[in-house]
Amino acid sequence: MLTIGQLASYAGVTVRTVRHYHAKGLLPEPERDRSGYRRYGAAAVVELVRIRTLADAGVPLSRVRELLAADDEEFVAAVEDIDRRLRAEIRERQVHRERIAKLAAGDSLALPPEVVAYVDRMRELGFRERLVEIERDSWTLIAAQMPEQVGPWMAMKQAQLEDESLRRLYLDVGELVDCGPDDPRLPVLADRVAAFIEAAADGAEGVEEEHPVSDDLVALLDAAFVECFPGAVRMLELLEERGWTGWTNIRRSTPAPVAPALPADC
Amino acid sequence: MLTIGQLASYAGVTVRTVRHYHAKGLLPEPERDRSGYRRYGAAAVVELVRIRTLADAGVPLSRVRELLAADDEEFVAAVEDIDRRLRAEIRERQVHRERIAKLAAGDSLALPPEVVAYVDRMRELGFRERLVEIERDSWTLIAAQMPEQVGPWMAMKQAQLEDESLRRLYLDVGELVDCGPDDPRLPVLADRVAAFIEAAADGAEGVEEEHPVSDDLVALLDAAFVECFPGAVRMLELLEERGWTGWTNIRRSTPAPVAPALPADC
DNA sequence: GCTTGACCTTGACGCCGGGTCAGGGTTGCA
DNA sequence: TGCAACCCTGACCCGGCGTCAAGGTCAAGC
């Protein structure tokens, strides 16, 4: 008769594993000798080897119990099922590999490459770091909720960066970092923003009709803007006085709703 | 300000997940409102999206904490490490797939195909089911401990099956199923077995020199034989009287050790 | 004002396949 | 007789949350 250690070593498993299988009901508890030790016959080794054969093939232990008692049909069906699971887990890992490869390639977390290019260009052009960060974070949020919309939007934003007058306006928006609520630069900046939006509102239709952003997301992006800049609240008030409401998706606040304007996108 | 549910839905995770990340220290606990609810700013959404981006790429949460604070070099090193892990997990699953495919192909658990062919042939030739089972179980044990030895052994066993006089002897061994310890057939059978072994011992060298079986395994196989047949113990005694000891690896029990005999292999 | 349902809180257990430790009893060998 | 190597049970541990329990809070409708 075998002790548990001998049984385990015949089957190439640990003693703990054998006891685990007893607890799970996979292997029946054998007789005990007078000192309480488990005593096994050779048949137990065969059973244990069968269990390990299935377990080593990636069959979950709960399934092993069924399979040991299954007839051929059930067995084949169960094997197909397990193979499906294994294929799914392999696919999952492959997707994971692609994703971390992209993370290692792009130099920033959770950002599509167009956006990485965009924020790099902002840094080249001398934008305030704080403004670059809030852009990056905003696009992180947008990419999380509507990844396929990022491309068209980015094309527009990149074009805006290369427009000199618009760029100068946006560079000055970066100065909001330093503005307290009573900073004299704020009303001037609000005038310039309002003038630009006004002009743009008359022009061509933007990306925003084809790729609308949900109200929730707009509210979140506005909140991020406000959290980031101390002068942001005052800026929104000043824009309100000039007939505009919001920032990410800026719109006329006059009673009659008009066509939406090109967003400034913080 | 956002509640935990809103935060979670922005990032596409469950509330439980957010709390889990708080508990793990991945996401800082935010301020509470007067009723004790957590209140989040937009920055928390950005942080949470970053965490999920890494987690969705298969990065373990313990690693996520490091990676969020890592510089580029550490990041690249960590990503390589994670990719190694993913590759290893994929390989593991692929091995599992091959194994269960083999299990589904061979019609019996834990048996190499040669053995399956062998036991099928035994059934065709009209061997007692009990004898077939003990053969199958014995080979299950052998395959578990020394899989690469099974091939050569099987070749010999299959040849033995096709030898008519030997087959007839072995068919009669199957009758041990019905033999009590005092069955009159037992001494006759013991004589025949002894005669065969005697003859074989003078003949050519067998497989057993090139592919020796460990003493432990031999003892286990003998034990399986004894467990399986009520007349087995008496049979071993009778063989002992005739100068032979053991069954799986039967040897002369005379004082001076002699060259080992061809095993009968239960 | 009251109810209802959706949300929030903490705390705890469950899953899977065992690893590992603690605190003891038993066996076999020198 | 001592010691090492084995055996026993019971318990906690890992990851990444799911799920339940038992209660507090909020907003909306009647």
Side-chain angles (χ1 to χ4, degrees):
Chain A
M1 297 297 273
L2 309 171
T3 67
I4 195 170
Q6 291 169 318
L7 169 67
S9 91
Y10 276 128
V13 301
T14 68
V15 169
R16 178 68 179 87
T17 299
V18 176
R19 287 203 269 252
H20 187 62
Y21 293 168
H22 286 321
K24 292 271 156 183
L26 292 180
L27 195 62
E29 281 276 1
E31 306 282 295
R32 307 293 182 114
D33 67 13
R34 65 191 155 70
S35 56
Y37 288 16
R38 293 176 179 85
R39 290 295 174 173
Y40 300 89
V45 185
V46 175
E47 263 306 279
L48 184 50
V49 167
R50 289 216 177 94
I51 294 171
R52 283 313 306 176
T53 302
L54 288 168
D56 287 342
V59 180
L61 294 190
S62 51
R63 275 314 195 58
V64 168
R65 191 163 41 230
E66 307 163 19
L67 281 189
L68 286 174
D71 62 24
D72 274 9
E73 280 181 44
E74 291 169 330
F75 189 82
V76 168
V79 163
E80 276 171 19
D81 194 46
I82 290 157
D83 194 56
R84 257 196 303 281
R85 187 177 56 78
L86 288 173
R87 279 198 310 255
E89 287 177 6
I90 289 173
R91 264 200 305 276
E92 190 181 320
R93 263 81 180 170
Q94 281 164 345
V95 169
H96 285 172
R97 287 197 63 201
E98 287 166 21
R99 286 194 189 161
I100 58 160
K102 279 187 194 154
L103 287 188
D107 58 350
S108 190
L109 273 176
L111 239 39
E114 313 94 292
V115 180
V116 174
Y118 177 71
V119 299
D120 283 350
R121 181 73 178 135
M122 283 183 80
R123 288 206 176 90
E124 270 174 34
L125 293 172
F127 280 82
R128 303 289 294 247
E129 184 58 23
R130 191 75 150 276
L131 191 67
V132 176
E133 281 170 12
I134 181 80
E135 275 289 349
R136 184 198 60 198
D137 288 358
S138 295
W139 289 100
T140 298
L141 296 174
I142 296 167
Q145 299 222 333
M146 18 195 298
E148 70 292 348
Q149 320 277 32
V150 169
W153 276 100
M154 272 287 87
M156 188 200 71
K157 296 280 294 180
Q158 275 171 332
Q160 288 184 345
L161 266 197
E162 304 307 327
D163 174 306
E164 196 181 332
S165 66
L166 190 45
R167 179 170 69 235
R168 222 170 295 160
L169 173 59
Y170 203 29
L171 277 164
D172 292 340
V173 168
E175 303 304 314
L176 280 169
V177 174
D178 306 318
C179 291
D182 301 321
D183 198 293
R185 288 170 293 176
L186 280 177
V188 184
L189 192 56
D191 283 336
R192 291 171 60 202
V193 170
F196 163 68
I197 298 291
E198 192 81 42
D202 303 335
E205 303 274 301
V207 215
E208 70 279 2
E209 259 86 48
E210 297 157 43
H211 305 281
V213 178
S214 82
D215 289 351
D216 280 355
L217 184 52
V218 167
L220 183 62
L221 294 173
D222 279 2
F225 173 60
V226 167
E227 274 179 36
C228 193
F229 295 105
V233 174
R234 181 67 188 134
M235 171 59 90
L236 289 172
E237 284 169 14
L238 290 168
L239 285 172
E240 199 79 35
E241 286 169 14
R242 284 155 182 77
W244 296 94
T245 187
W247 177 259
T248 302
N249 187 9
I250 197 166
R251 285 157 189 272
R252 284 190 207 279
S253 49
T254 43
V258 192
L262 249 188
D265 252 310
C266 72
Chain B
M1 297 296 274
L2 308 171
T3 67
I4 195 170
Q6 292 169 318
L7 169 67
S9 91
Y10 276 128
V13 301
T14 68
V15 169
R16 179 69 183 87
T17 299
V18 176
R19 286 203 269 252
H20 187 61
Y21 293 167
H22 285 321
K24 292 271 156 182
L26 292 181
L27 195 62
E29 282 275 2
E31 305 281 296
R32 307 294 182 114
D33 66 12
R34 66 191 156 73
S35 57
Y37 288 17
R38 294 176 179 84
R39 290 295 176 173
Y40 300 88
V45 184
V46 175
E47 261 308 278
L48 184 50
V49 167
R50 290 217 176 92
I51 294 171
R52 283 312 306 176
T53 302
L54 288 168
D56 287 341
V59 180
L61 294 191
S62 51
R63 276 309 195 56
V64 168
R65 190 163 39 232
E66 307 162 20
L67 280 189
L68 286 174
D71 62 23
D72 274 9
E73 280 181 44
E74 292 169 331
F75 189 82
V76 169
V79 162
E80 275 170 20
D81 194 46
I82 291 156
D83 194 55
R84 259 195 302 281
R85 188 177 57 78
L86 289 173
R87 278 198 310 255
E89 287 177 5
I90 289 173
R91 265 199 304 276
E92 191 181 321
R93 262 83 180 169
Q94 281 164 346
V95 169
H96 285 171
R97 286 198 64 199
E98 286 166 21
R99 287 195 189 160
I100 57 159
K102 279 187 193 157
L103 288 187
D107 58 350
S108 190
L109 271 176
L111 281 182
E114 313 95 290
V115 180
V116 173
Y118 177 71
V119 300
D120 283 351
R121 180 73 179 136
M122 283 182 80
R123 289 206 176 89
E124 271 174 34
L125 293 173
F127 280 83
R128 306 287 295 245
E129 183 60 22
R130 190 74 151 276
L131 191 66
V132 177
E133 280 171 13
I134 181 81
E135 274 289 349
R136 184 198 60 199
D137 287 358
S138 295
W139 289 99
T140 298
L141 295 176
I142 296 167
Q145 299 220 335
M146 19 195 300
E148 71 293 347
Q149 320 276 32
V150 169
W153 276 102
M154 272 287 87
M156 188 200 71
K157 297 280 293 182
Q158 275 172 331
Q160 288 184 344
L161 267 198
E162 305 308 326
D163 175 305
E164 197 180 331
S165 67
L166 190 44
R167 178 170 70 235
R168 220 169 297 159
L169 172 59
Y170 203 28
L171 278 164
D172 291 340
V173 168
E175 303 305 314
L176 280 170
V177 174
D178 306 320
C179 292
D182 302 321
D183 198 292
R185 288 170 294 176
L186 278 177
V188 184
L189 192 57
D191 283 335
R192 290 172 61 201
V193 169
F196 164 68
I197 297 291
E198 193 80 44
D202 304 334
E205 304 276 298
V207 216
E208 70 279 2
E209 259 85 49
E210 295 157 44
H211 305 282
V213 178
S214 81
D215 290 351
D216 280 356
L217 184 51
V218 167
L220 183 62
L221 295 172
D222 279 2
F225 173 60
V226 168
E227 274 178 36
C228 193
F229 294 105
V233 173
R234 181 69 188 133
M235 170 59 89
L236 289 172
E237 285 169 16
L238 290 168
L239 286 172
E240 199 78 37
E241 287 169 13
R242 284 154 183 77
W244 296 95
T245 188
W247 177 259
T248 303
N249 187 9
I250 196 165
R251 285 156 190 272
R252 284 190 206 280
S253 50
T254 43
V258 193
L262 248 190
D265 252 311
C266 72

